[in-house]
Amino acid sequence: MMDRNIEIRKKLVASCRRIVIKAGTRLLTDPEALAVLIRQIKTVRDSGIQVLLVSSGAVGTGMRSLGLKKRPRRLSEVQALAAIGQIRLMSVYEAECEKLGFKAAQILLTAEDLRSRERHLNALNCIESLLAQDVLPIINENDPVSVDELKFGDNDILAALLASMTRSDLAIILTTVDGLMRPNPDGSLGERISLVEGVTDEQRNMANGTDDSSMSIGGMKSKLRCAEILNSAGECLWIASGKDAHVIERIFNGEDVGTVFIPHHRTKVESRKRWLATFAKPSGKIIIDSGAVRALATHGSSLLPAGMKFVQGTFKRGSIVEVCSLEGELIAKGLTNFSSEDCMKLIGCQSSEIHDILRCDADSEIIHRNNMAVLKAD
């Protein structure tokens, strides 16, 4: 098993052309630790691999600047700390990168920047331009203006979304633990799990918060969600301890450190379907019968009106909708060719009857397979 783990790691790092590295708050409030991180990134860049850095630490840096020991609960106070800390954090990054002969750039994003197709593409084009000029993009959530995102999100998820958006081969999340650990009966952490091929309920049940809530948010549960996001797109996640000053070097030597999450099938999903599956915000739901579930999940078929059973929500033609089974399982997301009102009229009918029912020319599919991302595949 160990030989197989090493072989998988070596093949993975050998295939990398672009990676995302995320460092947590607890690793970045010490300027020396930040300098160590940048030196490791330089080594990766010198090997010809493009690197994007997702950096936490703005709130923690703001807290240290003001001498605070505990993260405040009031949102406006957290936002103010982020505004104070972000400028200090970036000044250190800029100085450390320039010492090593390259430049850094800051990108601040909100969840809406990635959900909106136009803004999503603008952010992607900006990142691509920076990488083409050999600049290190340093990305953080735009905490001073994010409300729901700051309260309910974290930079682990941002790192996974960015890796998916930029079609990066690997995302590395540096944290304060050595990887995903098996829990002991007494609740303490046991042995490290080296390799996970597809996240299961067993691993989800193992996940507990791993970060110090006085400084940061997030934990192992969000990291498993990251693995699911990346594995569904055909890419990999590697979680390891950032307290090891040589951890990135060890990762690219293919050593058995941390936990690697790999998909069952490494088939890269096309960019538009990634956006549909991961980023796009749905406006409603279409509930389908078991036959339509099989057609979508097994054959990659388009969704036809005959398979529809119910419609939930109000949406227009061209809206993003979720496609769910009668049991409530999410099967797919896609761009609908019909409004919710028209979908209600077409439930259970044959495609040949659409013209007569709506009394106008129309598409024969509710959602064409080219405009659909299937999330459950048999």
Side-chain angles (χ1 to χ4, degrees), residues 5 12 19 49 93 131 156 177 199 260 263 323 336 350 356:
N5 286 343
L12 172 57
I19 67 168
I49 297 172
Y93 273 128
L131 293 172
D156 292 341
V177 294
V199 178
V260 179
V323 181
T336 175
Q350 298 300 311
D356 292 338

Side-chain angles (χ1 to χ4, degrees), residues 22 24-27 56-57 59-60 63 71 154 175-176 210-219:
K22 183 265 178 176
T25 296
R26 297 288 295 175
L27 303 174
S56 297
V59 174
M63 288 172 61
R71 182 187 178 99
D154 61 62
T175 184
T176 55
T210 57
D211 296 324
D212 182 350
S213 61
S214 70
M215 295 290 289
S216 59
I217 55 178

Side-chain angles (χ1 to χ4, degrees), residues 126-375:
C126 177
I127 290 169
E128 293 288 358
S129 180
L130 291 170
L131 293 172
Q133 297 176 69
D134 200 32
V135 175
L136 173 66
I138 301 177
I139 299 138
N140 194 3
E141 195 164 22
N142 196 356
D143 291 344
V145 300
S146 298
V147 180
D148 290 343
E149 293 84 0
L150 186 59
K151 290 174 65 178
F152 304 115
D154 61 62
N155 275 346
D156 292 341
I157 299 298
L158 175 57
L161 295 176
L162 277 167
S164 179
M165 180 176 79
T166 59
R167 302 178 69 86
S168 296
D169 304 294
L170 173 66
I172 299 171
I173 293 182
L174 301 179
T175 184
T176 55
V177 294
D178 293 328
L180 180 63
M181 306 291 189
R182 293 189 187 279
N184 292 319
D186 64 1
S188 61
L189 295 178
E191 65 176 350
R192 172 177 58 89
I193 299 174
S194 177
L195 181 69
V196 176
E197 296 186 61
V199 178
T200 66
D201 287 338
E202 180 185 6
Q203 279 109 36
R204 293 186 191 96
N205 292 334
M206 291 178 191
N208 291 308
T210 57
D211 296 324
D212 182 350
S213 61
S214 70
M215 295 290 289
S216 59
I217 55 178
M220 194 55 69
K221 288 183 179 179
S222 73
K223 292 169 179 60
L224 292 185
R225 174 61 184 142
C226 294
E228 292 178 303
I229 291 170
L230 289 167
N231 287 176
S232 68
E235 276 122 18
C236 303
L237 175 70
W238 198 318
I239 299 171
S241 173
K243 293 188 288 186
D244 180 348
H246 302 284
V247 66
I248 296 176
E249 177 184 345
R250 296 181 68 192
I251 285 172
F252 279 89
N253 285 335
E255 295 182 30
D256 184 22
V257 296
T259 302
V260 179
F261 297 82
I262 63 173
H264 288 300
H265 306 287
R266 288 207 68 185
T267 302
K268 297 262 188 174
V269 177
E270 64 179 272
S271 296
R272 190 160 185 265
K273 292 194 175 184
R274 289 174 188 240
W275 175 75
L276 285 170
T278 306
F279 301 96
K281 189 174 182 179
S283 300
K285 291 184 181 180
I286 295 175
I287 313 301
I288 60 176
D289 61 27
S290 58
V293 170
R294 286 193 298 273
L296 268 59
T298 304
H299 305 296
S301 303
S302 298
L303 176 61
L304 304 178
M308 290 196 302
K309 300 297 288 184
F310 306 102
V311 176
Q312 296 179 1
T314 302
F315 49 85
K316 301 176 182 178
R317 169 182 165 85
S319 296
I320 308 295
V321 296
E322 294 181 334
V323 181
C324 300
S325 68
L326 288 167
E327 295 74 29
E329 184 178 12
L330 180 60
I331 306 300
K333 288 169 67 177
L335 293 163
T336 175
N337 289 325
F338 299 91
S339 67
S340 53
E341 182 181 358
D342 286 344
C343 283
M344 292 287 291
K345 297 175 183 176
L346 298 175
I347 288 176
C349 81
Q350 298 300 311
S351 294
S352 59
E353 300 174 307
I354 293 177
H355 180 277
D356 292 338
I357 293 172
L358 299 182
R359 297 183 180 180
C360 65
D361 292 332
D363 297 285
S364 57
E365 310 90 358
I366 300 299
I367 304 176
H368 193 278
R369 63 186 181 185
N370 291 344
N371 292 322
M372 178 166 31
V374 177
L375 307 176

